[in-house]
């Protein structure tokens, strides 16, 4: 019995060493790195394939509708959006917010301001809402046709050229405020701007969210208008955020 055991061991060792080294053994199994699958479940696809440890940087570009003219600091829609995301994620993620916006800015002003800021290209989400002052200040529509695409390009670069992480928001209609007095010309011109922006975005696969209809309830629901009788109120911005949030959750892979 002992002799037979030694014979089995001898055959086993002979077989192993006849196959060559460990390296040759791997080759015999035909292992190739291209055949190895990597589990990327925990890699955030919206951050260049790099795990950002739950930090999502947000950049909001615009004018009075982004800076929140006539409402409190925490009432403007970008801040309400961040607060909503913090609640949804139970503060397990953070959302550093940068706003480049000022009341009265046209597309020209916004481009100049962004150039002066020299912004980074590592934002996980960028929102763009611009154009009402081009209309209000009677700027040639051709200016918007030229500068809106440029702003989209700038905003896209801020997302490290990940166009999926850009959201363009439609221009509110201030005709439906005490200041606007249901002026149909204002509404028609706002439609012209929004239609151009939406068509441009649709042709390039950019997310366009229409919130104009919310503001067109301003005369029948005065609570949607700020105390200045012109700009959206905290409630109106809350409704903007309710419409925007599901899209943001999807883009940031948080749902």
């Amino acid at each position: 019995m002992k002799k037979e055991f030694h014979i089995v061991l001898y055959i086993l060792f002979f077989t192993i060493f006849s196959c060559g080294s460990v390296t040759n053994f791997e080759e015999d199994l035909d292992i190739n790195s291209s055949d190895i699958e990597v589990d990327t479940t925990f890699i955030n696809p919206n951050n260049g394939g790099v795990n950002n440890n739950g930090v999502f940087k947000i950049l909001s570009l615009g004018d009075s509708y982004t800076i929140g003219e006539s409402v409190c600091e925490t009432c403007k829609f970008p801040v309400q959006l961040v607060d909503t995301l913090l609640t949804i994620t139970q503060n397990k993620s953070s959302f550093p917010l940068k706003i480049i916006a000022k009341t009265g800015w046209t597309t020209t002003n916004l481009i100049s301001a962004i150039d002066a800021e020299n912004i980074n290209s590592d934002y996980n989400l960028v929102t763009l809402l611009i154009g009402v002052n081009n209309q209000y200040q009677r700027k040639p529509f051709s200016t918007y046709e030229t500068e809106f695409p440029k702003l989209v390009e700038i905003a896209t670069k801020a997302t490290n050229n990940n166009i999926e992480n850009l959201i363009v928001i439609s221009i509110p209609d201030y005709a439906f405020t005490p200041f606007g007095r249901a002026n149909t010309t204002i509404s028609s011109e706002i439609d012209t701007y929004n239609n151009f922006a939406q068509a441009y975005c649709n042709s390039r696969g950019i997310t366009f969210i229409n919130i104009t209809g919310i503001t067109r309830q301003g005369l029948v629901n005065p609570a949607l208008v700020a105390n200045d009788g012109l700009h959206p109120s905290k409630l109106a911005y809350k409704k903007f955020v309710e419409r925007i949030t599901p899209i943001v959750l999807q883009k940031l892979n948080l749902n």
Side-chain angles (χ1 to χ4, degrees):
M1 186 72 177
K2 185 175 182 180
K3 181 178 181 180
E4 291 175 352
F5 177 75
H6 288 163
I7 293 173
V8 171
L9 286 177
Y10 175 80
I11 294 172
L12 178 61
F13 281 113
F14 178 80
T15 302
I16 292 174
F17 285 107
S18 67
C19 291
S21 64
V22 175
T23 304
N24 289 334
F25 179 65
E26 184 178 83
E27 291 174 354
D28 289 341
L29 289 177
D30 193 26
I31 295 177
N32 190 295
S33 60
S34 63
D35 297 327
I36 300 174
E37 294 184 0
V38 178
D39 184 2
T40 59
T41 303
F42 299 104
I43 294 178
N44 178 11
N46 297 299
N47 194 36
V50 178
N51 190 327
N52 62 1
N53 297 316
V55 179
F56 300 91
K57 296 180 63 177
I58 299 176
L59 173 65
S60 290
L61 307 172
D63 48 38
S64 60
Y65 295 135
T66 296
I67 200 62
E69 178 69 25
S70 297
V71 297
C72 69
E73 275 299 307
T74 58
C75 299
K76 61 188 73 173
F77 91 81
V79 175
Q80 287 201 53
L81 175 62
V82 168
D83 289 343
T84 300
L85 294 173
L86 287 171
T87 299
I88 291 173
T89 61
Q90 300 179 336
N91 292 312
K92 293 178 181 178
S93 297
S94 62
F95 304 90
L97 172 65
K98 182 177 181 63
I99 298 175
I100 301 178
K102 190 172 182 179
T103 299
W105 274 1
T106 64
T107 49
T108 306
N109 299 135
L110 182 55
I111 289 171
S112 297
I114 295 172
D115 288 343
E117 287 277 347
N118 192 26
I119 59 176
N120 295 328
S121 59
D122 59 348
Y123 287 93
N124 301 97
L125 180 74
V126 176
T127 66
L128 174 64
L129 197 176
I130 193 70
V132 69
N133 292 300
N134 290 62
Q135 181 274 335
Y136 180 72
Q137 297 177 26
R138 317 308 301 168
K139 303 294 184 183
F141 183 67
S142 58
T143 300
Y144 187 78
E145 290 177 303
T146 300
E147 294 185 343
F148 176 78
K150 184 174 181 179
L151 280 165
V152 168
E153 180 183 351
I154 293 170
T156 303
K157 287 181 180 178
T159 67
N160 196 24
N161 293 316
N162 186 351
I163 204 167
E164 289 293 323
N165 287 7
L166 170 62
I167 293 178
V168 174
I169 302 169
S170 69
I171 302 169
D173 188 351
Y174 67 93
F176 291 83
T177 67
F179 179 89
R181 300 180 181 180
N183 186 316
T184 57
T185 299
I186 293 173
S187 295
S188 177
E189 292 178 354
I190 293 294
D191 281 342
T192 299
Y193 279 82
N194 281 332
N195 289 339
F196 173 82
Q198 183 169 15
Y200 183 87
C201 289
N202 289 347
S203 68
R204 288 157 178 80
I206 299 168
T207 300
F208 181 90
I209 298 180
N210 195 322
I211 52 79
T212 308
I214 295 172
T215 60
R216 284 177 172 165
Q217 299 298 313
L219 291 177
V220 296
N221 185 1
L224 294 173
V225 182
N227 291 334
D228 65 359
L230 173 60
H231 291 92
S233 66
K234 176 183 179 180
L235 176 61
Y237 287 132
K238 179 183 178 182
K239 291 181 178 294
F240 291 10
V241 171
E242 288 172 352
R243 190 163 294 182
I244 295 167
T245 298
I247 307 298
V248 172
L249 292 174
Q250 183 179 6
K251 289 183 178 298
L252 298 183
N253 200 28
L254 292 172
N255 54 357

